[in-house]
Amino acid sequence: DIQMTQSPSSLSASVGDRVTITCRASQSIHTYLNWYQQKPGKAPKLLIYAASTLQSGVTLRFSGSGSWTDFTLTISSLQPEDFATYYCQQSYNTPYTFGQGTKLEIK
Amino acid sequence: QVQLVESGGGVVQPGQSLRLSCAASGFTFSSYALHWVRQAPGKGLEWVAVISYDGTNKYYADSVKGRFTISRDNSRSTLFLQMNSLRPEDTAVYYCARDEVLWRSFDLWGQGTRVTVS
């Protein structure tokens, strides 16, 4: 199985900050990498697919990059609604594993 | 509108069975693969199973293989998850999710249904 490792596990930041979350795959997944945002008590929401393609309707504050094994999610200028937990996920092959999550909290 | 709505969760004892449903609306159900994803209390997301658009191909996480069965009824636009021999570690919120097809991202999620095995 492909293991997905996110860092950091938690992050404190302020409104207006630029933040970056990283995700590493245990083997090459090309660009079959997706990012999701989850708020407490809610279902996950797709932000980015294919490593760098913004899902329709998602704010341009979010961007993704990377390929093969190393990927990043960047939020350019944090807004109050961005404080949530973020997950990466590989969709290269089954099982479609998720990273352990990064909880983004207000400083 | 375009949505997925899960149902069927509840509280069961270890060893018992439960069947979850996921009703789809607003899109051509039979064109999409579908997944079940679960989230144990306070934990991260765990992929559970996937079924192809026509139901011919199914894959499972090792943690549920042999106990859970994913199926679909395209005539009713409904996805199912039959869960047998339930264990306390199966306690979670179960989400159904639509597979975007090209990149296999999960672009539409239901609100989740809670399963407690105790």
Side-chain angles (χ1 to χ4, degrees), chain A residues 4-9 21-23 35 86-88 99-102:
Chain A
M4 306 300 294
T5 304
Q6 283 181 239
S7 62
S9 296
I21 299 169
T22 64
C23 181
W35 290 98
Y86 293 86
Y87 295 93
C88 63
Q100 80 277 16
T102 295

Side-chain angles (χ1 to χ4, degrees), chain A residues 38-103:
Chain A
Q38 187 179 33
K39 296 182 178 179
K42 300 295 187 182
K45 172 187 173 183
L46 177 64
L47 297 175
I48 288 170
Y49 63 94
S52 60
T53 304
L54 202 64
Q55 173 68 352
S56 175
V58 174
T59 174
L60 293 173
R61 293 195 304 277
F62 291 95
S63 64
S65 65
S67 60
W68 306 109
T69 59
D70 293 301
F71 304 88
T72 60
L73 172 71
T74 299
I75 311 172
S76 59
S77 178
L78 277 173
Q79 297 302 300
E81 60 267 30
D82 300 334
F83 291 93
T85 300
Y86 293 86
Y87 295 93
C88 63
Q89 178 220 16
Q90 65 83 15
S91 52
Y92 183 66
N93 59 17
T94 58
Y96 294 140
T97 41
F98 290 87
Q100 80 277 16
T102 295
K103 187 173 184 179

Side-chain angles (χ1 to χ4, degrees), chain A residues 36 38 43 89 91-92 96, chain B residues 35 39 95 103-104 106 110:
Chain A
Y36 301 87
Q38 187 179 33
Q89 178 220 16
S91 52
Y92 183 66
Y96 294 140
Chain B
H35 302 261
Q39 186 169 37
Y95 298 99
W103 292 97
R104 300 191 288 267
F106 300 174

Side-chain angles (χ1 to χ4, degrees), chain B residues 96-109:
Chain B
C96 58
R98 186 178 73 176
D99 188 309
E100 165 270 338
V101 181
L102 186 60
W103 292 97
R104 300 191 288 267
S105 59
F106 300 174
D107 67 343
L108 178 67
W109 295 67

Side-chain angles (χ1 to χ4, degrees), chain A residues 13-28:
Chain A
S14 301
V15 172
D17 284 353
R18 177 185 178 92
V19 300
T20 298
I21 299 169
T22 64
C23 181
R24 174 164 288 176
S26 61
Q27 66 185 71
S28 174

Side-chain angles (χ1 to χ4, degrees), chain B residues 2 4 20-21 23 34-35 38 43 48-49 51 62 64 66-67 76 79 90 94 104 108 110-111 116:
Chain B
V2 177
L4 297 169
L20 306 183
S21 298
L34 293 160
H35 302 261
R38 68 184 181 183
K43 302 299 183 181
V48 172
I51 186 168
D62 285 346
V64 306
R67 300 187 299 122
R76 294 166 51 195
L79 172 72
D90 296 318
Y94 285 74
R104 300 191 288 267
L108 178 67
Q111 85 289 351
T116 302

